[in-house]
Amino acid sequence: MGFTRRCGSGRRVGVLLALLGAGTGSAQTETGPRIDPGPPETPSQEARLEALEDEPEVHSQVASFAITKLHDSPAVVTSVTAEEIRASGARDLMDVLLLVPGFFFGVDVSGVVGPGFRGLWGQEGKVLLIIDGKEINEQLYSTMQLGHEFPVELIERIEVVRGPGSVIYGGNAELAVINVITRGIQGSTDVMAVGTYGQLSHGNGRRSLTLSGRKVFEGVPGLSAFASASLGQGQRSDVIFDDFYGGSASMNGASRLDPTVVQAGVGYRDLQLSLLYQRQDTTTVVSVDEVLPEPVNTDFESFHAELSDRYRPTDRIEIIPRLNLTLGESYRDSDEASDFFYDKRYRRLRGRALARWAALDVLQLTGGLDLAFDQGKLLGPAGLGQQEPFNGDQDVVSYRNFAGFVEAYSDNPIATVVAGARFEDHSFFGSSFVPRLVLLKSFGPVSGKALYSRAFRAPGIENISLGDDVRPERTTVYELEATVRLGEGQTVSANAFDVGVTDPIIYSYDTDTDSEAYRNLGRLGSRGVELDYRVRGAWGRAQVGYSFYRPGGRNDVEDYLVPGQPHAFTGLPTHKATLTGTARVLPWLSLSPTAVLVGQRFAVGAPDEEGVSEVQKLSPRLLLNLFVRAENVGTKGLEIGAGVYNLLGSDFRVAQPYNGGHAPLPVFTREFMVRLTYLFEPAYDDE
């Protein structure tokens, strides 16, 4: 039977996959081995309409080395399709993640906005972002930058693991994994052009142009190529930012978010080479906590290359090697006269190999090795601005990380059992071992999951450089999920979780010695529930979500405590409710409203000379968006969309999820946007 099995209930589970993270990031949905799969057909407009009435069974491999149906994935997973993204009018990843249970946002230094998850700050190495198998978190601090960061029109699907992924991906997947799958090589020959223009109340919101093309060479079976380029300009907001010290500045024209994204790739059968270049030029009116005399430029740039192949000696054995190269610079201010001068480069060379064996019809065994070499290098002189040598006196540092991982996936009539573990050994901070155990069982329309996972966050290059004997932080997560398929396109899911983080890596600054350091301090915890209801039919689709999370267990890290509010997280809400949907008014016209209600939050200023911090209460906020989309306007493939975001004009701000003195930063300002899309798919004769 090779890599396709049938369990006692008659439920087919395909376990042929391409490796993700510790394996791959490209999505495969086949349920059996195919040496020469060829390009899958791009769904027609009629097929997309039929999908509204009868949702096809979605397969996922983001949470396991085995391909499973989404509701059988050994993790709590949310999947967002390209159709849902386009219909909603989402402008970037922030718009998409805002609707995912558990996710919210916080502001960090240099005006950067990052993710919080289940009440815990996930920006620095706790949440992993992957685009087509390439890990996007920068390597100096392990952060990501959200807001106008990647052209959503290129996305085919987003899979979010709402839970730890360290066994699969390693040390940047401690709390959650965001896996973005783009158009890439898979698909038929086509050309797409997208233009976007957004206008804020007092200034430009965003404008971008994206071109993308795929080519399947009919004369050479198995050969295909793709390329895309996207250029954009935008800004975070056009309103006034007020710091905790009485200073204020307009963000209009001073909160720039200008992205450049280029992709290319070629594939022949299972051999694939893909490239991704990203650059984000930004300006900010605040660096750490106070308003600056004038805006400061901060740039982020990275290049990712991946070469992969797949070998099948028999129909039960599969071997997948992968080679990755990453180069980048983050938080770059290359002006040597600037007080914020910072110019360092990171490099990662990574080789991975995975072997999969369908030992029995009900058992798949997977194992592999992962070897990475990291380097940090000063590109400019030390002692200027924020530029300091690594480890106090080094211009170049290098580290080696070795990992081995195993997973057993048993799909049998009694229950599906997934057990796995990962061992890592780092040349600087030593070894880490994390296990995972998952039980899944279905009872007719009801399916349940019980999950136990250990995870860790590995220090980045600068965490090590500024570290005071810093070591990986450890996380233990317990999760329970139940899903009921109500029929007629309706499902409801509920999950409960308990997260405990031991020895979290915390940044600290000693004013007496004027020194900074990363240290392992105390413990953090979060407990809560998440609810998700979905319904779809010929009329369209709708989704309602609710998240509740509060501090759980022992929380004793002072930087994450709100004075006088023991049941609240710093910067992040305890309640979030979402409503989104698409109503098909006419066969070619749809209307998509979005509503997000965020509960009360608290922003905490830095302590004064007497050790007292100002606590600013952020009242609940309602965010309303409305997007209208017309398809095949005048000609096949031409689509026009228009939307208004933050209809109510709410003063929506995100706080700093730790006590660093940064006042809440305005985001999601009211914006009017128009998007024009043209997709050309050449017709071929059936012969």
Side-chain angles (χ1 to χ4, degrees):
M1 295 181 64
F3 286 97
T4 302
R5 304 188 305 274
R6 181 182 298 273
C7 70
S9 63
R11 176 167 48 89
R12 291 182 64 87
V13 179
V15 295
L16 176 64
L17 60 121
L19 183 58
L20 276 173
T24 183
S26 60
Q28 306 279 336
T29 57
E30 61 260 34
T31 58
R34 292 189 297 169
I35 297 300
D36 182 14
E41 293 184 1
T42 300
S44 64
Q45 175 63 21
E46 291 75 14
R48 289 196 287 265
L49 291 176
E50 291 176 3
L52 291 174
E53 303 177 16
D54 183 20
E55 181 179 16
E57 199 59 79
V58 177
H59 291 75
S60 172
Q61 57 187 49
V62 69
S64 170
F65 294 115
I67 289 180
T68 65
K69 294 180 182 179
L70 190 62
H71 63 265
D72 293 326
S73 178
V76 179
V77 179
T78 295
S79 178
V80 186
T81 67
E83 174 64 22
E84 290 170 330
I85 293 172
R86 287 194 295 265
S88 71
R91 299 162 292 179
D92 52 31
L93 287 178
M94 286 184 68
D95 280 345
V96 177
L97 293 175
L98 187 62
L99 300 174
V100 176
F103 274 91
F104 198 65
F105 310 105
V107 60
D108 202 4
V109 299
S110 301
V112 169
V113 173
F117 184 67
R118 291 175 171 172
L120 301 176
W121 182 223
Q123 167 70 341
E124 219 169 337
K126 291 183 173 68
V127 174
L128 177 63
L129 174 62
I130 300 171
I131 298 179
D132 291 335
K134 305 168 185 66
E135 298 188 1
I136 303 302
N137 298 52
E138 51 87 20
Q139 297 296 318
L140 294 176
Y141 295 93
S142 305
T143 67
M144 66 181 76
Q145 299 75 45
L146 295 178
H148 205 197
E149 70 295 304
F150 189 85
V152 294
E153 51 267 23
L154 297 179
I155 296 176
E156 290 285 351
R157 188 167 76 255
I158 297 176
E159 296 175 331
V160 180
V161 178
R162 290 154 43 202
S166 292
V167 171
I168 305 293
Y169 300 99
N172 282 343
E174 182 183 16
L175 298 180
V177 179
I178 304 164
N179 185 42
V180 178
I181 301 139
T182 73
R183 284 164 50 84
I185 297 174
Q186 305 300 326
S188 58
T189 298
D190 61 22
V191 176
M192 184 177 71
V194 183
T196 299
Y197 180 81
Q199 181 70 35
L200 303 177
S201 298
H202 304 99
N204 172 52
R206 72 194 67 224
R207 51 192 176 193
S208 65
L209 176 64
T210 301
L211 299 175
S212 175
R214 297 185 288 199
K215 173 64 176 178
V216 176
F217 296 88
E218 303 293 337
V220 185
L223 179 63
S224 59
F226 80 98
S228 67
S230 180
L231 301 175
Q233 293 179 325
Q235 61 176 337
R236 182 81 66 186
S237 177
D238 63 347
V239 302
I240 302 297
F241 167 77
D242 301 297
D243 65 23
F244 277 121
Y245 308 98
S248 62
S250 173
M251 296 177 64
N252 190 25
S255 58
R256 184 163 55 102
L257 297 172
D258 293 352
T260 300
V261 178
V262 179
Q263 290 179 288
V266 61
Y268 179 67
R269 298 181 181 268
D270 292 322
L271 179 64
Q272 295 189 2
L273 172 66
S274 61
L275 310 173
L276 170 63
Y277 170 80
Q278 281 190 295
R279 180 184 173 104
Q280 178 85 306
D281 296 333
T282 76
T283 57
T284 178
V285 298
V286 55
S287 177
V288 178
D289 52 6
E290 293 185 81
V291 166
L292 298 170
E294 59 183 25
V296 170
N297 297 319
T298 305
D299 302 328
F300 302 85
E301 187 173 25
S302 63
F303 170 79
H304 309 263
E306 181 178 76
L307 179 66
S308 66
D309 205 347
R310 178 164 52 186
Y311 304 98
R312 300 190 187 95
T314 74
D315 66 346
R316 287 183 176 268
I317 297 177
E318 184 175 59
I319 301 171
I320 304 173
R322 311 187 74 83
L323 182 64
N324 288 78
L325 172 65
T326 301
L327 301 170
E329 299 178 48
S330 53
Y331 297 96
R332 179 178 61 199
D333 182 343
S334 56
D335 182 2
E336 295 185 7
S338 170
D339 292 338
F340 304 98
F341 171 71
Y342 183 87
D343 196 5
K344 298 182 179 181
R345 175 177 296 164
Y346 59 85
R347 183 191 70 195
R348 167 170 285 187
L349 181 63
R350 186 177 187 182
R352 293 168 285 178
L354 175 144
R356 183 178 304 105
W357 177 32
L360 302 169
D361 289 346
V362 295
L363 175 65
Q364 176 183 282
L365 300 176
T366 304
L369 301 175
D370 187 344
L371 180 62
F373 297 93
D374 296 337
Q375 183 188 83
K377 182 179 182 180
L378 269 67
L379 297 183
L384 299 179
Q386 305 296 314
Q387 180 98 320
E388 297 295 338
F390 295 106
N391 301 324
D393 59 359
Q394 295 176 277
D395 291 343
V396 179
V397 291
S398 299
Y399 304 104
R400 181 269 309 152
N401 190 66
F402 171 79
F405 48 88
V406 295
E407 181 184 81
Y409 192 103
S410 176
D411 185 4
N412 56 79
I414 300 175
T416 298
V417 180
V418 184
R422 184 184 187 93
F423 172 82
E424 287 203 2
D425 182 75
H426 192 275
S427 58
F428 180 83
F429 51 74
S431 61
S432 301
F433 176 79
V434 288
R436 180 177 70 155
L437 178 64
V438 184
L439 301 177
L440 303 96
K441 181 64 177 177
S442 294
F443 305 90
V446 180
S447 60
K449 302 178 184 180
L451 307 96
Y452 162 77
S453 300
R454 298 292 301 274
F456 67 100
R457 177 214 159 177
I461 293 173
E462 287 285 40
N463 302 143
I464 296 172
S465 177
L466 298 172
D468 182 6
D469 192 28
V470 69
R471 58 192 182 278
E473 60 188 53
R474 314 288 178 172
T475 297
T476 303
V477 181
Y478 300 91
E479 299 175 274
L480 293 173
E481 184 188 48
T483 300
V484 181
R485 290 172 291 281
L486 303 175
E488 300 298 329
Q490 298 184 67
T491 61
V492 59
S493 299
N495 69 285
F497 60 86
D498 182 285
V499 181
V501 182
T502 303
D503 295 329
I505 301 170
I506 306 298
Y507 174 85
S508 60
Y509 182 80
D510 190 331
T511 56
D512 294 333
T513 61
D514 193 28
S515 61
E516 56 183 353
Y518 283 91
R519 297 181 174 89
N520 297 92
L521 298 173
R523 190 183 186 280
L524 300 172
S526 172
R527 292 172 181 162
V529 296
E530 296 162 348
L531 305 174
D532 185 77
Y533 171 76
R534 299 179 181 229
V535 59
R536 64 170 53 224
W539 53 271
R541 62 169 68 88
Q543 178 182 352
V544 179
Y546 171 72
S547 304
F548 168 77
Y549 29 91
R550 63 181 298 175
R554 190 177 85 243
N555 281 263
D556 54 13
V557 180
E558 186 174 346
D559 286 349
Y560 289 85
L561 300 179
V562 182
Q565 300 290 337
H567 301 302
F569 294 102
T570 304
L572 300 173
T574 55
H575 301 272
K576 187 184 78 168
T578 61
L579 170 63
T580 184
T582 297
R584 191 159 289 280
V585 182
L586 296 170
W588 53 273
L589 182 67
S590 63
L591 185 68
S592 299
T594 300
V596 180
L597 178 62
V598 179
Q600 181 176 266
R601 292 163 289 143
F602 297 92
V604 182
D608 59 22
E609 295 180 355
E610 299 179 356
V612 178
S613 298
E614 177 184 348
V615 178
Q616 186 178 117
K617 183 186 297 184
L618 301 181
S619 301
R621 286 287 183 265
L622 177 62
L623 191 68
L624 291 179
N625 302 334
L626 183 63
F627 188 74
V628 179
R629 182 172 68 143
E631 302 171 78
N632 297 321
V633 181
T635 184
K636 183 180 179 181
L638 179 60
E639 177 182 304
I640 300 176
V644 56
Y645 303 81
N646 195 352
L647 269 164
L648 302 179
S650 298
D651 183 15
F652 207 99
R653 300 176 183 235
V654 292
Q656 194 171 48
Y658 56 94
N659 303 348
H662 197 303
L665 185 76
V667 296
F668 298 128
T669 310
R670 179 185 287 169
E671 181 176 359
F672 300 89
M673 189 192 76
V674 177
R675 176 178 292 153
L676 189 66
T677 303
Y678 180 64
L679 177 64
F680 174 71
E681 299 172 290
Y684 294 100
D685 294 335
D686 293 338
E687 300 179 356

